[in-house]
């Protein structure tokens, strides 16, 4: 059973496009696995409404931050806001704030066109 479907916003797409093809394959493999398994090793809550996809590949810690859109009960979506290569243990508050701003903008735009 698939728990959610993932969509990629512009900044996430741009980040992924900068990566090597095998790294991109690993990202999509892990996200697909997370959609079916709901495994916190792959997808976990950071704080408030922001979550992270966790990918480890080729000695790199890759993170895609995301949020949920549960406004349609039959189709739960997760939107990846942006990504980065994690270099320290803790994710910087700047990255979380960036994801939160993208989330707010998404819902403002969505609600404007309802």
């Amino acid at each position: 059973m698939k728990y959610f479907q993932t969509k990629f916003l512009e900044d996430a797409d741009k980040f992924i496009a900068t990566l090597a093809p095998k790294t991109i394959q690993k990202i999509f493999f892990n996200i697909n696995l997370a959609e079916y398994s709901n495994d916190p090793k792959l997808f976990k809550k950071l704080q408030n409404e922001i979550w992270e996809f966790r990918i480890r590949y080729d000695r790199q810690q890759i993170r895609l931050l995301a949020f949920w859109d549960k406004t349609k009960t039959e189709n739960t979506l997760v939107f990846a806001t942006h990504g980065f290569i994690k270099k320290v243990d803790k994710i910087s508050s700047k990255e979380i704030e960036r994801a939160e701003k993208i989330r707010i903008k998404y819902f403002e735009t969505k609600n404007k066109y309802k």
Side-chain angles (χ1 to χ4, degrees), residues 43-69:
F43 186 60
K44 80 173 210 176
K45 187 171 190 172
L46 284 177
Q47 69 181 44
N48 299 331
E49 303 296 323
I50 304 303
W51 291 63
E52 70 173 335
F53 284 106
R54 304 159 56 92
I55 300 101
R56 177 185 223 130
Y57 182 73
D58 199 23
R59 290 180 275 148
Q60 290 184 318
Q61 297 279 341
I62 301 160
R63 297 294 186 261
L64 286 168
L65 299 191
F67 62 89
W68 293 80
D69 180 350

Side-chain angles (χ1 to χ4, degrees), residues 15-112:
F15 169 72
I16 291 169
T18 67
L19 302 172
K22 287 191 179 223
T23 304
I24 294 170
Q25 282 180 327
K26 179 65 174 181
I27 289 171
F28 289 130
F29 176 82
N30 275 26
I31 288 174
N32 188 53
L33 206 55
E35 290 174 342
Y36 284 94
S37 68
N38 220 1
D39 183 347
K41 290 179 185 148
L42 300 170
F43 186 60
K44 80 173 210 176
K45 187 171 190 172
L46 284 177
Q47 69 181 44
N48 299 331
E49 303 296 323
I50 304 303
W51 291 63
E52 70 173 335
F53 284 106
R54 304 159 56 92
I55 300 101
R56 177 185 223 130
Y57 182 73
D58 199 23
R59 290 180 275 148
Q60 290 184 318
Q61 297 279 341
I62 301 160
R63 297 294 186 261
L64 286 168
L65 299 191
F67 62 89
W68 293 80
D69 180 350
K70 296 181 182 180
T71 52
K72 292 184 178 170
T73 53
E74 75 281 354
N75 191 14
T76 302
L77 298 174
V78 169
F79 285 90
T81 59
H82 71 289
F84 54 94
I85 306 294
K86 187 175 159 205
K87 296 181 171 127
V88 294
D89 283 346
K90 195 170 182 184
I91 292 182
S92 81
S93 58
K94 192 171 88 176
E95 295 292 356
I96 295 169
E97 287 168 20
R98 180 177 172 195
E100 185 61 35
K101 285 179 186 171
I102 293 170
R103 187 185 79 80
I104 290 166
K105 184 178 175 186
Y106 164 82
F107 282 111
E108 284 174 351
T109 303
K110 180 180 179 181
N111 292 333
K112 189 188 298 184

